[in-house]
Amino acid sequence: MKLYMTDISGNSYKVRVLASILNVPYEKVYVDWDSREHKQPPFLKLNPRGQVPVMEIEGKVFWDSTAHLVYIARKFGGERWLPADALGMAEVAQWLAFAQNEIHFGLQWSRGVMKGLKTGSLQEYQGYGRKALEVLAWHLKDHEWLAVGRPTIADIACYPYVKRAPEGGFMLDAYPAVVTWLECCEALPGWLKLQER
Ligand SMILES: N[C@@H](CCC(=O)N[C@@H](CS)C(=O)NCC(=O)O)C(=O)O
């Protein structure tokens, strides 16, 4: 398995965390972000979206960290990180979608604007970001984990851009249950520290 990634990419980080927890070997292929390698034709052949991460798995190419998490969880994690029963899978999928909606367009993009990586309306992105934190706080006030009462790929998918929310102008202190959940994730055996810039 090859992972095309950068060290700072929060979406690549999700894949690295699960591989670390499950002790799954893979080859890292560093994409040169500063020279915009991810926007050049050779990379765009792998991922027309021009984004990392991308994985080559069993001779096929997959983009989107969600696909990578699903593959690794199912192939190497048994039932533990992605349950196979219909209800359990739906519960995890609900949070995988949340990671790719409110967290992505809210928390990730607010940080992107504040770091000069992205243009667009900070006010609009922060509106989605506030919604992301409110939904998480609402759920986590009486649940330890996001889905099925244990850590799953739902937690890994949501973690990085919630952790980085302060870089997008959000005060996590206002959401103590969210802070506790971040700490529970960080205490999992094999967890990796998220690189800050
Ligand atoms: N939904 C994608 C999002 C990937 C993403 O946003 N990657 C960022 C780095 S963390 C990127 O490559 N951004 C460049 C761009 O969107 O142009 C995933 O989960 O893999």
Side-chain angles (χ1 to χ4, degrees), residues 98 101-111 122-137 161-162 165 168-170 172 175:
F98 182 73
N101 284 278
E102 286 87 343
I103 291 180
H104 180 88
F105 297 115
L107 301 178
Q108 181 179 335
W109 282 17
S110 297
R111 174 182 179 273
L122 181 60
Q123 201 185 2
E124 190 180 341
Y125 301 154
Q126 284 182 331
Y128 291 128
R130 261 193 307 282
K131 174 57 86 179
L133 293 171
E134 284 163 12
V135 169
L136 283 168
Y161 288 100
V162 175
F170 302 92
L172 284 179
Y175 307 94

Side-chain angles (χ1 to χ4, degrees), residues 97-170:
F98 182 73
Q100 295 294 351
N101 284 278
E102 286 87 343
I103 291 180
H104 180 88
F105 297 115
L107 301 178
Q108 181 179 335
W109 282 17
S110 297
R111 174 182 179 273
V113 172
M114 287 191 65
K115 290 208 158 270
L117 301 168
K118 192 163 179 55
T119 54
S121 163
L122 181 60
Q123 201 185 2
E124 190 180 341
Y125 301 154
Q126 284 182 331
Y128 291 128
R130 261 193 307 282
K131 174 57 86 179
L133 293 171
E134 284 163 12
V135 169
L136 283 168
W138 165 80
H139 177 82
L140 291 167
K141 72 182 184 318
D142 43 28
H143 297 86
E144 191 178 0
W145 300 102
L146 294 183
V148 300
R150 64 172 192 269
T152 63
I153 57 172
D155 302 283
I156 296 174
C158 291
Y159 175 92
Y161 288 100
V162 175
K163 176 74 175 179
R164 287 176 169 171
E167 296 178 89
F170 302 92

Side-chain angles (χ1 to χ4, degrees), residues 9-11 33 38-39 50-53 64-65 100 104 108 161:
S9 154
N11 289 293
W33 186 269
H38 54 302
K39 300 295 180 191
Q51 296 179 329
V52 289
D64 208 290
S65 58
Q100 295 294 351
H104 180 88
Q108 181 179 335
Y161 288 100

